[in-house]
Amino acid sequence: MAKLWEAGTSGEALDKDVELFLSSLAVDSRLLQEDLECSIAHSRMLGKTGILPPEESAAITAALEAMLKEAAEGKLAVDADSEDVHSFIEAELVRRLGEAGKAVHAGRSRNDQVAVAFRLHMKRACKNTAFDVLDAIEAILSVAKNHTETLMPGYTHLQRAQPVTLAHHLLAWCAALERDYSRFIDNMNRLDESPLGSGALAGSGLPTDREYTADLLGFARPSRNTMDAVADRDACIDYASAGASLMVHLSRFCEDIALWVSTEYSFMKLTGRASTGSSIMPQKRNPDPAELIRGKAGRVFGNLQALLVMQKGLPYAYNRDLQEDKELFFEIEDTLHGSLKAFAVLVTSLVPDAARMEDALKDGYLEATDVAEFLVLKGIPFRTAYNAAKELVQICARKGKRLREIDQSDLAEAHQVFAECAVAPDLLTDYLTPTACVARRKQTGGPAPEKTRAEIARLESFIAAQRKA
Ligand code: ARG
C-alpha cells in the first residue's frame, strides 16, 4: 500500500490486517475532487510565496488541474492500495511528475489536508441539504395551496381537538422545515474557515500564506488556531445535529401520513408513485416511503451519537479516531438527501378526501371551546363559560346529539348563563360550524384561510429569495 511515511525504526512492515484496518480510502475517495481543489490552492500558494520556484509550482498546479479534470469526468482511477485519498494524490502526482511532484507537501500535513478537504465538502453539503429542504417545503406548499379551505380535525393527544384546515396542518410542517433550513445555512456560515496551512498542529516554519489559500478556496478566512483547526470536528457534529432535528421532523410528518392513509382515518390515499402493494394481499397499498423515512431517522441519530463519542475526551490535537468522521458524515448526508427526495414525492402523491375529513368533524364535540368563547364574548368569565360548555357537551352526549343540534331546553338544562346572556340556539349553532370556527381564528399563525394563504405566499417568496441569494 502506498504510504507517505517510512517504516518504523525496527524496520518492520505494518501488519497487513492493521494496514487494512487503518485504510480509509474506500470512504475518503469521495473527497477526491475537494482534495485536488485544496492541493491546487496549496501549490499556487507555494509559488506565490516563493517557497517553490514559480515554474515548479506551475508544473504541480497544472498536473493537479489535469487530475481534477479527469476526476470530474470520472476518469481518474484511485489506486486501491493507497492508505487514503490524500496519500493517493501525492503518489499520483509523483508518478506523473517524478521528483518535482515530491515538493507539494511543503508547509502542510495530512491533518490540515484532510480537515480542509472535508470542510469544503461539508460547506457544500450544508448548502445542498438546505436546498433539498427548500424543495420539500415547496412540495408541501403545492398541496397546501389547494386546501386552505379543506376542513379537518386538529388533534392533541391523538384525540380530536378543534377544527383546522389541511393547509394549516401542512404549514405546521413547513414551519419546522424552515428552522431546519436555517440550521444548515447557519452551519455553513459558521464552518466557513480554512484549516489549510495549519500543518500537523503548529502551522509551518515556512512562510506560507493561509489568507491566500483560504481566499482561493472561497472560505471567509483561515481558522483562528492551528491546533483547533486539525483537532476540531464541530462542523460535522453541527451538520449531524441539524440532520437529526430534520429527521425527527420528517419522521413525525411521515407518521401523520401513515395515519391519514390508514383505513381507520381514510383522510387520504396515496397514488402509486409513493405506495407499494403487498406480495400476498392484493387489496393493499402501503405507505412504504413514509415508513422508511421514519426508520432512517435512527441511523442519523446514531451517527450523531457516534460523532459525539468519537470526539469526547480526545487529547489535542489530531488523533486517528477522527478518521471515523467522514464515514458517519457521508451516511448522514446520503440519508438526508434520499429521505428529503422521497418525502417530496410522498407529499405530492397524497390525494386528500375532503368529504371524509370534514365528516370527522361531526363527532367529538370539537366546537366545545367555541361555545365557551361565545359566552366569553358576552362577558362571562372563561372558567364559568368553560363549565357551561362542558355541561352542554355532557347533555348532548347523553341525548346522542351534536352541539350543532342543540335547542333551547338543552341550553336551559346545561347552565343558567345561557339564559342570562339570552343565547338564541340558532345563533350559537351558526357560530359553531367548522367553517366559522376556522374563519375567525385569524390571528398570526392561525388556520383562517386568509392567514394560511398569506403564509403560503410568504414561504413562496422566501424560497425564491433563498434560491436567488
Ligand atoms: N486518513 C486520515 C483521516 O482521515 C488522514 C489523516 C492522517 N493523519 C495522520 N496523522 N495519520 O483522518
Side-chain angles (χ1 to χ4, degrees):
M1 190 184 284
K3 283 184 284 308
L4 299 171
W5 37 271
E6 303 295 321
T9 38
S10 65
E12 273 178 300
L14 186 64
D15 178 273
K16 285 290 161 212
D17 288 330
V18 173
E19 184 169 330
L20 198 64
F21 178 67
L22 291 178
S23 172
S24 59
L25 185 78
V27 172
D28 59 28
S29 51
R30 185 157 162 172
L31 295 177
L32 179 61
Q33 291 189 49
E34 283 96 341
D35 192 318
L36 284 167
E37 290 172 59
C38 296
S39 295
I40 289 166
H42 180 70
S43 164
R44 287 175 63 185
M45 182 279 295
L46 292 176
K48 183 212 166 231
T49 52
I51 296 171
L52 285 185
E55 61 284 1
E56 279 183 33
S57 152
I60 292 173
T61 302
L64 289 167
E65 276 169 348
M67 284 163 68
L68 179 58
K69 187 166 177 288
E70 289 164 36
E73 291 165 355
K75 288 183 192 148
L76 184 60
V78 176
D79 171 13
D81 275 349
S82 304
E83 187 182 3
D84 57 24
V85 74
H86 320 291
S87 320
F88 162 72
I89 289 173
E90 187 173 332
E92 177 64 17
L93 194 65
V94 173
R95 195 183 68 74
R96 293 182 184 211
L97 294 183
E99 202 62 21
K102 295 185 181 170
V104 72
H105 212 51
R108 74 173 186 186
S109 145
R110 257 191 309 165
N111 295 351
D112 60 337
Q113 194 180 352
V114 67
V116 69
F118 189 31
R119 210 165 257 254
L120 201 56
H121 180 88
M122 290 192 286
K123 192 174 160 183
R124 291 166 184 169
C126 283
K127 187 171 169 193
N128 291 338
T129 307
F131 277 73
D132 283 346
V133 172
L134 290 187
D135 289 346
I137 297 176
E138 207 163 43
I140 299 171
L141 292 180
S142 74
V143 181
K145 258 178 142 158
N146 301 324
H147 295 285
T148 54
E149 318 224 351
T150 305
L151 298 163
M152 72 184 293
Y155 293 78
T156 64
H157 312 271
L158 212 52
Q159 306 285 323
R160 288 179 194 167
Q162 291 182 332
V164 294
T165 65
L166 179 55
H168 191 236
H169 193 128
L170 295 176
L171 285 168
W173 297 356
C174 293
L177 289 178
E178 193 178 347
R179 289 191 295 277
D180 291 320
Y181 172 79
S182 74
R183 271 187 272 271
F184 287 107
I185 297 296
D186 287 352
N187 292 344
M188 180 177 76
N189 293 329
R190 195 178 311 102
L191 70 69
D192 199 9
E193 294 183 340
S194 168
L196 187 56
S198 294
L201 78 165
S204 170
L206 300 170
T208 57
D209 186 342
R210 298 193 57 214
E211 277 71 16
Y212 183 67
T213 49
D215 199 45
L216 285 178
L217 291 168
F219 285 107
R221 60 186 161 272
S223 45
R224 307 285 185 198
N225 176 287
T226 59
M227 281 180 73
D228 173 63
V230 290
D232 158 57
R233 293 294 185 273
D234 284 5
C236 189
I237 288 178
D238 282 351
Y239 181 88
S241 161
S245 296
L246 170 62
M247 289 307 289
V248 167
H249 296 147
L250 291 182
S251 74
R252 291 183 73 173
F253 309 162
C254 286
E255 178 60 17
D256 278 347
I257 290 172
L259 288 172
W260 289 344
V261 302
S262 69
T263 314
E264 281 65 21
Y265 279 71
S266 295
F267 284 0
M268 310 189 188
K269 288 201 167 11
L270 267 177
T271 68
R273 281 175 78 224
S275 61
T276 58
S278 156
S279 63
I280 174 172
M281 297 166 282
Q283 83 285 10
K284 291 199 73 187
R285 279 330 282 183
N286 300 322
D288 291 44
E291 294 159 23
L292 192 56
I293 292 168
R294 213 171 49 190
K296 293 269 185 201
R299 187 184 289 267
V300 175
F301 306 161
N303 286 13
L304 168 61
Q305 176 74 1
L307 284 164
L308 290 166
V309 175
M310 177 195 80
Q311 282 185 73
K312 181 201 167 292
L314 271 197
Y316 275 80
Y318 177 87
N319 297 267
R320 193 63 174 255
D321 314 44
L322 293 175
Q323 178 169 289
E324 280 292 285
D325 58 0
K326 286 166 290 295
E327 188 168 359
L328 294 165
F329 182 94
F330 294 150
E331 190 180 35
I332 296 173
E333 186 185 0
D334 294 341
T335 302
L336 300 184
H337 180 67
S339 300
L340 285 164
K341 286 278 162 208
F343 180 75
V345 176
L346 179 70
V347 80
T348 50
S349 303
L350 291 170
V351 184
D353 183 340
R356 168 79 193 184
M357 284 191 276
E358 193 171 345
D359 235 33
L361 292 166
K362 290 200 173 127
D363 297 318
Y365 304 105
L366 289 88
E367 328 85 326
T369 314
D370 291 71
V371 174
E373 288 178 356
F374 184 87
L375 293 170
V376 167
L377 290 172
K378 302 222 173 286
I380 305 299
F382 179 78
R383 191 53 55 206
T384 308
Y386 167 95
N387 286 325
K390 187 170 184 175
E391 278 301 323
L392 191 61
V393 167
Q394 279 164 1
I395 286 165
C396 286
R398 254 201 324 272
K399 295 183 179 173
K401 52 160 81 170
R402 299 183 173 126
L403 274 171
R404 278 175 275 156
E405 295 163 355
I406 49 152
D407 56 30
Q408 198 72 59
S409 71
D410 301 322
L411 292 179
E413 203 178 322
H415 205 281
Q416 75 223 28
V417 288
F418 291 109
E420 278 167 31
C421 299
V423 174
D426 53 337
L427 276 186
L428 180 55
T429 51
D430 281 352
Y431 189 82
L432 297 182
T433 66
T435 306
C437 287
V438 162
R440 66 177 157 263
R441 286 172 159 74
K442 51 185 172 210
Q443 44 282 116
T444 301
E450 63 188 273
K451 287 293 158 185
T452 51
R453 274 194 287 269
E455 177 62 0
I456 290 167
R458 183 194 68 79
L459 277 164
E460 281 175 341
S461 49
F462 170 76
I463 290 171
Q466 297 303 305
R467 289 231 173 92
K468 226 172 168 184

